[in-house]
Amino acid sequence: MPADTPSDFHRIRRLPPYVFAEVNRLKAEARARGEDIVDLGMGNPDSGAPAHVVAKLTEAVADPRTHRYSVSRGIPGLRRAVASYYQRRFDVGLDPESEICVTLGSKEGLANLAQAITSPGDVILVPNPSYPIHQFGFVIAGAAVRSIPHEPGEEMLRALDRAVIHSVPKPTALIVNFPSNPTALTTTLDFYRALVAFARKHGIFIISDLAYAEIYFGDAPPPSVLAVPGAKDVTVEFTSMSKTYSMAGWRIGFAAGNPKLISALSRVKSYLDYGAFAPIQIASVAALNGPQDCVGQMRELYRERRDVLLKGLAAAGWNIPAPEASMFAWAPIPERFRELGSLGFSKLLLEKAQVAVSPGVGFGEHGDGHVRIALVENTQRIRQACRAIRTFLQGSNAPELADPGGAPPGVEDAA
């Protein structure tokens, strides 16, 4: 007999209410009323893909041979281009045949890898807060998620040791994401060395999300965990075209590293898809192998927006840490609004300042003291948002309590 509601299905019952849905609904209602909402919520790049990449896409689309089914693990030329990128950027050698798989964006790859390697009841270690697919890809696959601290360092390493001792069964995999979405934290190769040593000692896989590798603002580019000797024995890493080349809607990403994990992912994908549209893959080769001036220009674009945001919020009396990387700022909620929680504060910003941000609780309950601000509007619009926030904050004597909506999922803490 058909289920009465979607929540009657087992896997759907494991998913909490979508925290971002409430803000999205209020945003849509405000726009329907004619309000000008500055949307700094979703990390959706507003720039177009580089001209030479679009030109290659157009050329490839004109060839009817590219309209046929592709290959689920990606065309050989694109896998070779990814290997070349890893060699020149990280000094990491990869076999395009056995150590690389093209995915429909890194999010799809992470979710399908979870399906490939997870048995019901497996324990997965996930930083809290973190990007939702890091947790829920494995929740959907039937795993139990155990939270660990999100900052790279001794506290995380101690929590990992405790997790191994106290988890039954022993953890299967550990998720890491630096530069981090949502926190914008970065890490070093020294930390990755300690992480790889831990994983090799305990027979635990490392799953690294390196989607923001090319958006950084300091002198040191973010490293890849695969650059650590022996990392490929236990590690698979996901990268993406979405942010580096403003190709988010094109849905192209990559998994690279451990051949066993790559093989498992490729096999699952062979049952589920025929790969990305071939012209998109061909254009992605042009992006990776072509001139990289566009990447530097993208980096400077986000740096300028970051600096405008920090200056504008400081003028409003809201001082937030300067992100060292990524296209996000992870902003602590002003003290007098803390009792609202991140969802309540986000709703208040939308109502009073016409600015949309992402509530931190959507990334895990330990994110509830923050909101994530995406640098996805031009500098003029960011200044407009900061002026509106300044007017709101400086004219507000007390918080207006709002119903924070659905509670975040409960996850076991290793810390």
Side-chain angles (χ1 to χ4, degrees), residues 244-376:
T244 304
Y245 298 98
S246 296
M247 293 167 61
W250 299 46
R251 307 316 301 138
I252 285 286
F254 317 103
N258 180 267
K260 181 178 178 179
L261 294 178
I262 294 297
S263 177
L265 173 60
S266 299
R267 185 166 182 181
V268 165
K269 281 178 60 62
S270 71
Y271 283 91
L272 298 177
D273 67 67
Y274 288 104
F277 186 37
I280 292 177
Q281 297 192 61
I282 293 167
S284 297
V285 174
L288 289 169
N289 289 345
Q292 300 300 300
D293 297 0
C294 55
V295 179
Q297 292 165 4
M298 170 275 304
R299 194 178 296 130
E300 289 307 311
L301 175 73
Y302 286 121
R303 183 200 303 274
E304 181 184 14
R305 293 179 179 184
R306 179 200 66 164
D307 293 347
V308 168
L309 177 75
L310 294 174
K311 182 178 179 181
L313 291 184
W318 188 7
N319 293 292
I320 67 172
E324 297 179 5
S326 86
M327 58 193 297
F328 305 112
W330 187 236
I333 298 172
E335 186 63 38
R336 71 182 190 274
F337 297 97
R338 288 287 176 89
E339 62 186 294
L340 293 176
S342 60
L343 183 53
F345 181 65
S346 297
K347 291 162 70 173
L348 200 60
L349 275 184
L350 187 61
E351 176 188 352
K352 302 298 184 181
Q354 289 75 53
V355 176
V357 298
S358 292
V361 72
F363 304 96
E365 68 270 31
H366 295 308
D368 200 24
H370 293 71
V371 294
R372 191 194 72 178
I373 304 174
L375 305 172
V376 292

Side-chain angles (χ1 to χ4, degrees), residues 86-107:
Y86 261 89
Q87 188 66 65
R88 67 176 181 265
R89 173 67 167 79
F90 303 111
D91 196 24
V92 170
L94 291 168
D95 180 356
E97 290 300 314
S98 64
E99 295 178 336
I100 295 172
C101 179
V102 179
T103 63
L104 306 179
S106 56
K107 186 174 182 179

Side-chain angles (χ1 to χ4, degrees), residues 116-347:
I117 70 173
T118 304
S119 299
D122 280 355
V123 175
I124 308 297
L125 307 178
V126 182
N128 190 337
S130 67
Y131 186 54
I133 196 63
H134 297 158
Q135 176 177 181
F136 291 109
F138 285 95
V139 167
I140 292 169
V145 170
R146 186 181 181 102
S147 287
I148 59 170
H150 69 279
E151 294 190 33
E154 289 301 320
E155 184 182 0
M156 180 187 282
L157 293 173
R158 288 193 295 268
L160 292 175
D161 286 333
R162 291 195 296 272
V164 169
I165 294 170
H166 297 296
S167 296
V168 179
K170 184 185 73 175
T172 300
L174 159 68
I175 314 298
V176 292
N177 172 214
F178 302 109
S180 169
N181 176 9
T183 67
L185 291 174
T186 59
T187 194
T188 64
L189 207 53
D190 284 341
F191 177 74
Y192 280 146
R193 289 190 185 98
L195 214 58
V196 168
F198 163 84
R200 287 167 60 90
K201 176 181 178 181
H202 296 289
I204 295 172
F205 290 122
I206 296 172
I207 301 173
S208 170
D209 182 350
L210 195 60
Y212 296 91
E214 302 306 335
I215 306 179
Y216 58 91
F217 309 121
D219 294 330
S224 163
V225 64
L226 291 174
V228 175
K232 277 196 289 187
D233 294 342
V234 292
T235 303
V236 67
E237 186 163 73
F238 289 89
T239 51
S240 171
M241 305 293 287
S242 295
K243 308 306 190 296
T244 304
Y245 298 98
S246 296
M247 293 167 61
W250 299 46
R251 307 316 301 138
I252 285 286
F254 317 103
N258 180 267
K260 181 178 178 179
L261 294 178
I262 294 297
S263 177
L265 173 60
S266 299
R267 185 166 182 181
V268 165
K269 281 178 60 62
S270 71
Y271 283 91
L272 298 177
D273 67 67
Y274 288 104
F277 186 37
I280 292 177
Q281 297 192 61
I282 293 167
S284 297
V285 174
L288 289 169
N289 289 345
Q292 300 300 300
D293 297 0
C294 55
V295 179
Q297 292 165 4
M298 170 275 304
R299 194 178 296 130
E300 289 307 311
L301 175 73
Y302 286 121
R303 183 200 303 274
E304 181 184 14
R305 293 179 179 184
R306 179 200 66 164
D307 293 347
V308 168
L309 177 75
L310 294 174
K311 182 178 179 181
L313 291 184
W318 188 7
N319 293 292
I320 67 172
E324 297 179 5
S326 86
M327 58 193 297
F328 305 112
W330 187 236
I333 298 172
E335 186 63 38
R336 71 182 190 274
F337 297 97
R338 288 287 176 89
E339 62 186 294
L340 293 176
S342 60
L343 183 53
F345 181 65
S346 297
K347 291 162 70 173

